[in-house]
């Protein structure tokens, strides 16, 4: 009886080893794929950095001297102006060049809507 139990234990151990070998082969395949992908990404990163350096060298000094704060304020001013025009339109006034400032009398104006949609 003990021999049968011992043989079963050895056979179970063999199956566990085969299963672990299969898992190890799968893990090796995943690691190999990951390493290939890592290498490809490193090459791409290197090429992109080289291209970025080329672009930075070709940018004129005047463009590089643009103050980001002033640029942000200009963008904010544009958004603020658009918001003011949209508010005026919703209050019932024309914002189009055809009837600017006059009352809309509740009807939508295609010129105003077109103008406001261009601003988006």
């Amino acid at each position: 009886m003990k021999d049968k139990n011992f043989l079963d234990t050895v056979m179970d151990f063999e199956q566990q080893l085969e299963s672990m070998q299969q898992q190890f082969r799968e893990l090796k395949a995943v690691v190999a794929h990951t390493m290939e992908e890592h290498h490809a990404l490193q090459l791409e990163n290197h090429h992109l950095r080289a291209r970025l350096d080329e672009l930075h060298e070709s940018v004129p000094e005047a463009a590089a001297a643009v103050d980001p704060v002033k640029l942000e304020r200009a963008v904010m001013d544009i958004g603020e102006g658009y918001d003011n025009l949209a508010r005026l339109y919703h209050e019932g006034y024309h914002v189009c060049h055809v009837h600017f400032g006059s009352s809309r009398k509740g009807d939508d104006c295609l010129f105003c809507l077109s103008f406001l949609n261009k601003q988006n």
Side-chain angles (χ1 to χ4, degrees):
M1 192 80 168
K2 281 189 165 185
D3 290 337
K4 180 89 167 156
N5 192 11
F6 179 72
L7 187 58
D8 287 341
T9 303
V10 169
M11 290 177 69
D12 286 344
F13 184 65
E14 181 183 21
Q15 287 178 347
Q16 288 176 354
L17 281 175
E18 288 174 0
S19 174
M20 287 194 323
Q21 284 179 331
Q22 179 61 32
Q23 289 176 351
F24 185 68
R25 282 192 288 274
E26 291 171 2
L27 182 62
K28 280 180 19 180
V30 168
V31 168
H33 176 71
T34 303
M35 289 179 69
E36 289 173 4
E37 188 175 348
H38 175 72
H39 181 68
L41 288 173
Q42 279 184 324
L43 282 174
E44 183 180 4
N45 191 16
H46 174 73
H47 292 301
L48 288 173
R49 287 186 188 279
R51 180 70 178 130
L52 187 62
D53 290 341
E54 289 174 12
L55 289 174
H56 280 296
E57 290 172 2
S58 67
V59 172
E61 291 298 321
V66 172
D67 186 10
V69 174
K70 288 181 182 176
L71 184 62
E72 184 178 336
R73 284 185 188 148
V75 170
M76 284 181 12
D77 289 344
I78 291 171
E80 194 173 277
Y82 173 78
D83 290 343
N84 287 337
L85 288 173
R87 182 181 47 80
L88 285 172
Y89 179 78
H90 289 291
E91 288 178 0
Y93 296 97
H94 284 277
V95 293
C96 63
H97 67 284
V98 179
H99 304 288
F100 184 80
S102 62
S103 178
R104 284 190 300 116
K105 298 177 183 139
D107 295 329
D108 285 330
C109 173
L110 294 178
F111 295 115
C112 292
L113 292 174
S114 174
F115 176 76
L116 289 173
N117 286 333
K118 283 183 192 175
Q119 298 298 320
N120 289 337

